[in-house]
Amino acid sequence: MPAALSSPVPAVLAKLGSLHQHDTGRLRAHLQCVPDPRSRRGRWYPLVGLLLICACAVVSGARTITEITEWGQRATITVLELLGIRRHLPGRRRAPSHATFTRLLASLDGDALDAAIGAYLTGHDHTAVGATGSAPRPAIAVDGKALSGSAHRHRRHRHLLSAVTHGPTVTLAQREVGAKTNETAAFRPLLEPLDLAGAVVTFDALHSVKDQVRWLVQEKKAHYIAVIKGNQPTASAQVKALPWEQVPVAHTVSGTGHGRRESRSVKTMAIAANLGGIAFPEARLALRIHRRRQESGKRQTRETVYAVTSLDTHQASPADLGGYVRGHWGIENSSHHVRDVVFAEDASTVHTGNAPRAMAALRNPAIGRLRLLGADNIAKTTRAIRDAPEHAVWIWGITDSPLLPGT
């Protein structure tokens, strides 16, 4: 093995799961599907090589295009060779410049990049890794996130809608919400390419739209848990009017962390025979989730949320249903919070062309790949990778060197 790949393995990386043989070369193969937006004239660096540098830099904690460039400059000749960077005269490899990355990311096809990354992450057995056994079906949350720092002058910030597995947190698909539309219009195009048969899709009240829910169940063969609020007034009134006082609490759970204590109770009720059912398609159960939160030094807060689901009592227990709802809320901490705190997504001021979306797309596989390998602290893991570019090469399966962690 090359000497450049023989640096000591940090302890946090040694704890990661092993690299499976089928992982080698998979990211490169998927990135080859992204069209090259550059003119053929003067093109020196291969597109896949540039994107692999970006992926390696981001999994090393790079937050900006400048930091991506610096990662490439720190990489050894051996690492650059593994990534596919061609030799410059007189026979040396030189890392791409800041301007090269800036022009590339600004002109990339965001839909194609997201599709390639989604296909790469979907190909992993993400439903089995880290499973606790409490939820019998895979669950996918649909949630949106604004790229706050991408606003520029009179142009609004970019907004993305993602489909994210509950655990481990892996983004399977992502689409940009147009400036003149909203998340609802992007819901079906986002989920259309995914195999959802038997899975549970969770979403908030914004996406509790009858036609979309009907499409999920009838065409995609999926189940759903839909939060019901004022945008569905008839269904909301019907669910709230059910005799909840006569129903015992079916499941309770409590926990502490981050300076607060939370408790949640779940009540469920079959709705098919109640007042002719609920004015919501394919609904089998109604849920009432009551949450109490006590933060240090603050008053206790209470919230009651109502939802309906296509699952019946034989397909999911109250504990399962509570876990699905909790898993949807957890996406904020497991994905959005990581993107903002570890990768400074909200603080990013990148706004040129498609660069904001491209940077956001590159953060998704970094988080997902580390989660799939068993990383429980993304910030700590990226810091361990940062000063040793060869470790990032292993993370992406670009090499299966036995001198790197997990092999």
Side-chain angles (χ1 to χ4, degrees):
M1 283 298 155
L5 298 179
S6 60
S7 59
V9 178
V12 67
L13 298 183
K15 296 179 181 178
L16 298 182
S18 60
L19 181 70
H20 297 290
Q21 184 176 2
H22 76 277
D23 286 334
T24 304
R26 288 187 62 250
L27 180 61
R28 188 191 301 270
H30 284 290
L31 291 179
Q32 289 174 347
C33 299
V34 180
D36 196 331
R38 301 170 298 168
S39 170
R40 289 186 177 275
R41 182 176 182 181
R43 185 191 302 177
W44 180 263
Y45 298 103
L47 175 65
V48 173
L50 294 174
L51 293 178
L52 287 176
I53 289 178
C54 291
C56 288
V58 173
V59 84
S60 304
R63 300 178 170 190
T64 65
I65 298 176
T66 298
E67 292 179 5
I68 290 175
T69 306
E70 292 170 351
W71 186 94
Q73 294 170 346
R74 291 196 308 271
T76 64
I77 292 178
T78 302
V79 168
L80 292 176
E81 181 179 25
L82 288 170
L83 298 179
I85 300 302
R86 296 169 55 193
R87 291 185 181 275
H88 281 70
L89 296 176
R92 298 184 60 189
R93 281 179 173 78
R94 186 174 67 234
S97 67
H98 182 274
T100 297
F101 286 114
T102 300
R103 289 193 296 266
L104 173 65
L105 295 177
S107 58
L108 270 180
D109 183 334
D111 289 335
L113 181 61
D114 273 324
I117 290 172
Y120 166 75
L121 291 172
T122 303
H124 289 80
D125 186 17
H126 54 82
T127 59
V129 179
T132 62
S134 60
R137 298 172 182 271
I140 299 171
V142 176
D143 202 8
K145 187 180 186 303
L147 305 180
S148 301
S150 62
H152 183 63
R153 295 182 179 175
H154 301 295
R155 187 169 56 195
R156 67 187 293 270
H157 61 255
R158 315 291 280 271
H159 194 93
L160 302 174
L161 185 67
S162 303
V164 186
T165 57
H166 282 203
T169 308
V170 178
T171 301
L172 303 181
Q174 181 172 270
R175 288 186 67 89
E176 183 168 3
V177 178
K180 296 183 179 180
T181 60
N182 56 31
E183 290 185 13
T184 303
F187 183 88
R188 190 177 297 192
L190 174 76
L191 298 178
E192 183 70 55
L194 301 180
D195 180 8
L196 301 177
V200 178
V201 181
T202 62
F203 41 86
D204 58 23
L206 177 64
H207 299 293
S208 296
V209 178
K210 295 179 181 180
D211 287 343
Q212 293 181 346
V213 168
R214 194 175 289 111
W215 170 79
L216 266 181
V217 175
Q218 296 179 1
E219 296 190 28
K220 300 298 288 184
K221 308 304 178 183
H223 289 284
Y224 71 86
I225 297 179
V227 174
I228 300 297
K229 291 185 178 179
N231 61 331
Q232 292 289 338
T234 302
S236 177
Q238 289 177 322
V239 172
K240 291 180 179 180
L242 293 173
W244 294 109
E245 295 77 9
Q246 303 173 21
V247 179
V249 173
H251 174 67
T252 60
V253 63
S254 62
T256 59
H258 305 287
R260 64 177 180 265
R261 178 178 178 81
E262 292 184 345
S263 64
R264 295 172 296 280
S265 63
V266 179
K267 290 184 177 184
T268 65
M269 185 181 299
I271 59 178
N274 286 286
L275 302 176
I278 296 295
F280 205 77
E282 308 292 343
R284 298 291 180 267
L285 290 175
L287 288 71
R288 196 200 77 160
I289 303 102
H290 186 68
R291 295 184 290 180
R292 297 183 181 184
R293 173 180 292 185
Q294 178 68 64
E295 295 189 36
S296 300
K298 296 183 180 181
R299 297 181 61 181
Q300 184 184 87
T301 60
R302 301 185 182 190
E303 181 184 16
T304 300
V305 176
Y306 296 92
V308 294
T309 177
S310 60
L311 295 163
D312 60 33
T313 54
H314 302 290
Q315 296 172 313
S317 68
D320 293 333
L321 296 171
Y324 290 135
V325 175
R326 178 61 177 166
H328 181 82
W329 292 330
I331 297 302
E332 288 290 335
N333 292 329
S334 302
S335 179
H336 296 177
H337 183 72
V338 173
R339 285 164 63 171
D340 288 336
V341 174
V342 178
F343 297 102
E345 186 166 273
D346 268 356
S348 174
T349 57
V350 174
H351 58 264
T352 304
N354 286 331
R357 181 178 178 183
M359 290 293 292
L362 291 166
R363 294 174 189 122
N364 288 331
I367 296 171
R369 181 62 170 161
L370 293 179
R371 294 287 192 203
L372 289 167
L373 288 174
D376 55 1
N377 188 318
I378 300 298
K380 188 175 182 180
T381 306
T382 55
R383 288 196 299 269
I385 302 171
R386 182 176 303 158
D387 297 326
E390 62 271 18
H391 295 304
V393 172
W394 172 83
I395 290 290
W396 292 120
I398 298 169
T399 178
D400 57 356
S401 169
L403 300 180
L404 293 180
T407 57

